[in-house]
DNA sequence: GACTTTACGTCAGATAATTGACAACAATTG
DNA sequence: CAATTGTTGTCAATTATCTGACGTAAAGTC
């Protein structure tokens, strides 16, 4: 990852300070505390930090403290000696040791158990750790970076986070603002992601219609960049036309927008038909006229084989289905059913007879 | 297509969109999240997706995350090294490794433990996994498809499901509507299943009395397609007469329905149609088994009409597609192509000649 | 080189599908 | 009531489709 990937985080002016601080802090060994809502790209920022540090050639070891039960987390962080607890069949080094010389990234540190906080505090202060069930402690040379989406000051006030640890961690605070607070970034990022997925898929790059732009900017993005990236990927796959219109956006976004001004966005009819051909999917050569609104895909050989049928049986089965359906539609009137199917009535009768139908 | 038919499509938008999306998504490697009530046939949909993908010749590995205890699940998914835990007698590869090159289907992912969610997240993001008790991590090339009957957004809000994982999984959401929301489908499916069991049993096909039809349509089908299939099977075995009357239906259905005379009598006459018929689904923790029903892949009359084709032309078109595909697969070797299709070589040649193919 | 295997195309006889003609029946209409 | 319209089943003639047998050629094996 080079620094250009930081663009993924955004370009908004509120980030300018952030990046400047990052440049200054990276080469040092200071502890850093990253705050920001979920999905704002904290890990990305931290990775960038690591890569800009002197430790870039050493390990970068992320660990999500919020997701791991207390007992496991301790052994995960500090390792354990054989027999330390029931399932500790053998000695295992912890993440701190694995990160030796490099950086450890304690994500969601706000979730961490108070008891463990003490041990982390010790690791920061003394630069040494002790394995679970271990005897002595061992020195480690690890840079510590932590992140959380909680407001740690409040957690401290509420007694859920140790004040001393907070101050140790909060040497350099880096705050990643939420996407909704970075007006221009939404569009920049969207285009960035669209471009990225375009490259992956080989299809034409998607453009944003003016209405879609408005809607995207008006949305609050509770999932922040992650949600946006996710949407961009989806659009890259699902969008038919060359342009993303309101119709392509999820209702979640549209309903939040609710601006009458935006509603008249009706895609020009001509465009719709003109772009239909881009449709993917036809596994064959697509000689056959593409289905228009066809909510259906042609069965293929794999389908056939899945039923262990031969060509004939397969077509036969399909025919039977169609016969039934036609009869159903025609309420049992064979005359009409035959009409629907575009075959002679007598032919239909023969076919039915052959199958003992009706 | 005239406007009345458009209305009809409108009624069944859910499925129509679903299939359109499926068609588009299948050939990509995007992560897909299938939601839908239990019994709607999620597994079947996913199998279809796999068969439509580039990975169709590679493994399809389903695993029901809800059915396996947490500790076992991790080792099941990621494998374990010898001695990793008490019963880890020997090293074993996990499902991810077994699925190498193919697709892994994580059913009931909503039930998954938060800790495991992190590991899955890592698998998605980094495309690498680590065996239980293992040291290094290993790269895997696996497409991930997940399914759940929970509302994951709510689960996220409740803190029972990781937001980041949700966004990673939810790249392409596919929602299978409940059977009760697909009015026309109930009867079509019932007949489909009756037919299927009829063939199995060799007895005469059962017909549905008008009252029974009404009752079936009015019922809410909490167990969805699975419940319907069960009922059809039971009826096929237990019904004496040639026709299924109210008396044959379980009281569960009748009591919910009340007086059938009050029910509106709306046979889908010219009403075209549910584009979809869904087979069934779950086979437990899912040993790799051949797809069972797969009524899905079948086109129907509305499709046929959409192409303005008669039955014969329609089947012909389909046949031609299959011929082409088989030839393709056989690299032009007619002998093998015929083999694949389960027809005589000479027959194939005739068919090709008729169409001026090859 | 002799032998086996595999692939290919043709053709005539066997099989199956399709259709138009015919007759019967019911519902509707005048 | 009789005429009209629409539906249905049967059947034999026509057409199409499928198949097995035969002859050939190329590639692989011994």
């Amino acid at each position: 990852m080079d620094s250009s990937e930081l663009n993924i985080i955004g370009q908004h002016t509120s980030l300018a300070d952030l990046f400047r601080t990052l440049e200054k802090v990276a080469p040092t060994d200071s502890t850093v505390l990253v705050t920001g809502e979920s999905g704002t790209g904290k890990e990305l920022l931290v990775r960038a930090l690591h890569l800009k540090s002197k430790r870039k050639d050493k390990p970068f070891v992320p660990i999500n403290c919020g997701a791991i039960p207390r007992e496991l987390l301790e052994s995960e962080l500090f390792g354990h000696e054989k027999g330390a607890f029931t399932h500790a069949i053998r000695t295992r080094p912890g993440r701190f040791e694995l990160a030796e010389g490099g950086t450890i990234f304690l994500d969601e540190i706000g979730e961490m158990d108070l008891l463990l906080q003490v041990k982390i505090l010790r690791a920061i202060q003394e630069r040494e750790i002790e394995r679970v069930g271990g005897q002595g402690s061992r020195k480690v040379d690890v840079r510590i970076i932590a992140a959380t989406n909680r407001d740690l000051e409040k957690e401290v006030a509420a007694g859920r986070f140790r004040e001393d640890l907070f101050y140790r961690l909060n040497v350099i605070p880096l705050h990643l603002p939420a996407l909704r607070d970075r007006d221009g970034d939404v569009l920049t990022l969207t285009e960035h992601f669209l471009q990225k997925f375009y490259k992956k898929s080989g299809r034409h790059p998607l453009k944003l219609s003016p209405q879609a732009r408005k809607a995207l900017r008006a949305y609050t993005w509770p999932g922040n960049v992650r949600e946006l990236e996710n949407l961009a990927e989806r659009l890259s796959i699902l969008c038919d036309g060359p342009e993303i219109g309101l119709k392509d956006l999820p209702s979640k976004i549209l309903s939040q927008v609710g601006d009458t001004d935006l509603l008249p966005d009706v895609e020009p009819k001509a465009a719709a038909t003109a772009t239909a051909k881009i449709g993917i999917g036809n596994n064959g050569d697509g000689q056959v006229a593409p289905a228009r609104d066809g909510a259906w895909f042609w069965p293929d050989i794999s389908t056939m084989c899945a039923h262990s049928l031969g060509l004939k049986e397969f077509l036969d089965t399909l025919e039977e289905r169609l016969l039934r359906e036609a009869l159903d539609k025609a309420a049992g009137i064979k005359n009409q059913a035959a009409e629907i199917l575009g075959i002679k009535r007598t032919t239909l009768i023969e076919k039915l007879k052959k199958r003992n139908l009706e």
Side-chain angles (χ1 to χ4, degrees), chain A:
Chain A
M1 182 193 310
D2 62 297
S3 60
S4 70
E5 290 235 12
L6 274 180
N7 287 337
I8 288 183
I9 296 178
Q11 297 180 339
H12 191 260
T13 48
S14 68
L15 294 175
D17 282 349
L18 187 65
F19 290 150
R20 219 172 312 128
T21 313
L22 178 67
E23 294 292 337
K24 276 193 222 152
V25 169
T28 77
D29 270 346
S30 295
T31 302
V32 174
L33 178 64
V34 181
T35 58
E37 287 184 13
S38 157
T40 41
K42 293 189 286 292
E43 173 151 356
L44 215 49
L45 185 70
V46 173
R47 290 198 120 98
L49 185 54
H50 174 71
L51 286 176
K52 284 180 183 291
S53 75
K54 296 169 301 191
R55 297 167 177 266
K56 63 168 179 269
D57 296 324
K58 299 300 182 83
F60 175 79
V61 178
I63 180 166
N64 190 311
C65 308
I68 304 183
R70 194 225 153 288
E71 326 81 49
L72 268 179
L73 182 56
E74 177 169 359
S75 117
E76 195 65 32
L77 284 171
F78 303 113
H80 59 251
E81 298 290 340
K82 183 172 175 178
F85 48 89
T86 321
H87 294 302
I89 306 233
R90 60 183 171 189
T91 295
R92 230 185 80 162
R95 301 275 175 128
F96 269 96
E97 290 170 75
L98 292 177
E100 178 62 30
T103 308
I104 192 168
F105 171 39
L106 306 171
D107 204 357
E108 309 293 350
I109 201 169
E111 319 281 324
M112 191 181 277
D113 183 280
L114 276 166
L115 287 174
L116 257 185
Q117 288 178 23
V118 183
K119 306 207 175 184
I120 293 289
L121 181 62
R122 169 147 181 248
I124 297 179
Q125 283 181 328
E126 318 293 337
R127 297 284 154 185
E128 62 182 31
I129 58 153
E130 188 173 330
R131 286 183 175 170
V132 177
Q135 303 301 330
S137 53
R138 47 186 75 199
K139 281 282 174 192
V140 285
D141 168 29
V142 172
R143 179 181 197 176
I144 295 173
I145 302 184
T148 182
N149 51 15
R150 296 196 182 175
D151 180 341
L152 281 195
E153 305 207 35
K154 272 186 194 155
E155 295 294 306
V156 168
R160 284 189 301 271
F161 203 85
R162 292 184 63 91
E163 187 173 16
D164 44 8
L165 178 57
F166 171 66
Y167 284 118
R168 282 292 170 186
L169 288 176
N170 200 35
V171 179
I172 311 287
L174 290 182
H175 179 68
L176 269 170
L179 186 52
R180 84 186 73 88
D181 297 328
R182 295 185 267 144
D183 197 18
D185 272 2
V186 175
L187 295 184
T188 318
L189 286 175
T190 309
E191 273 155 7
H192 170 82
F193 287 129
L194 287 177
Q195 184 71 14
K196 176 178 145 196
F197 293 119
Y198 146 65
K199 276 181 188 158
K200 241 188 199 170
S201 72
R203 295 177 65 199
H204 279 286
L206 290 167
K207 282 188 221 165
L208 288 165
S209 77
Q211 291 87 350
R213 299 172 93 87
K214 268 193 196 172
L216 292 180
R217 287 180 47 206
Y219 182 59
T220 56
W221 299 105
N224 290 294
V225 183
R226 190 153 42 211
E227 183 178 10
L228 176 58
E229 182 180 13
N230 167 281
L231 175 66
E233 181 167 3
R234 196 181 317 158
L235 291 174
S236 295
I237 296 170
L238 298 182
C239 258
D240 286 326
E243 196 184 65
I244 299 172
L246 278 187
K247 64 175 186 340
D248 300 311
L249 300 179
S251 54
K252 192 179 171 190
I253 291 182
L254 296 180
S255 64
Q256 216 179 68
V257 173
D259 189 358
T260 50
D261 187 2
L262 297 175
L263 288 176
D265 175 35
V266 180
E267 293 286 320
K269 298 246 161 119
T273 43
T275 57
K277 59 161 278 213
I278 299 180
I280 14 164
N282 262 350
N283 28 11
D285 36 44
Q287 297 292 13
V288 189
R292 284 181 300 160
D293 318 356
W296 167 78
F297 46 101
W298 295 84
D300 56 15
I301 293 213
S302 60
T303 317
M304 199 179 88
C305 293
H307 292 259
S308 33
L309 296 173
L311 177 67
K312 226 179 146 155
E313 300 152 294
F314 185 64
L315 291 174
D316 241 42
T317 311
L318 178 55
E319 189 180 62
E320 181 168 330
R321 296 184 66 91
L322 293 172
L323 292 181
R324 293 172 155 282
E325 201 189 337
L327 267 180
D328 213 50
K329 268 193 179 180
I333 312 292
K334 300 198 178 92
N335 245 330
Q336 293 175 17
E339 177 82 18
I340 292 176
L341 293 168
I343 58 180
K344 293 275 173 274
R345 180 185 58 85
T346 47
T347 307
L348 172 62
I349 292 178
E350 295 294 325
K351 283 182 185 298
L352 292 179
K353 193 184 294 174
K354 191 182 70 174
R355 295 179 166 76
N356 299 319
L357 280 177
E358 181 53 322

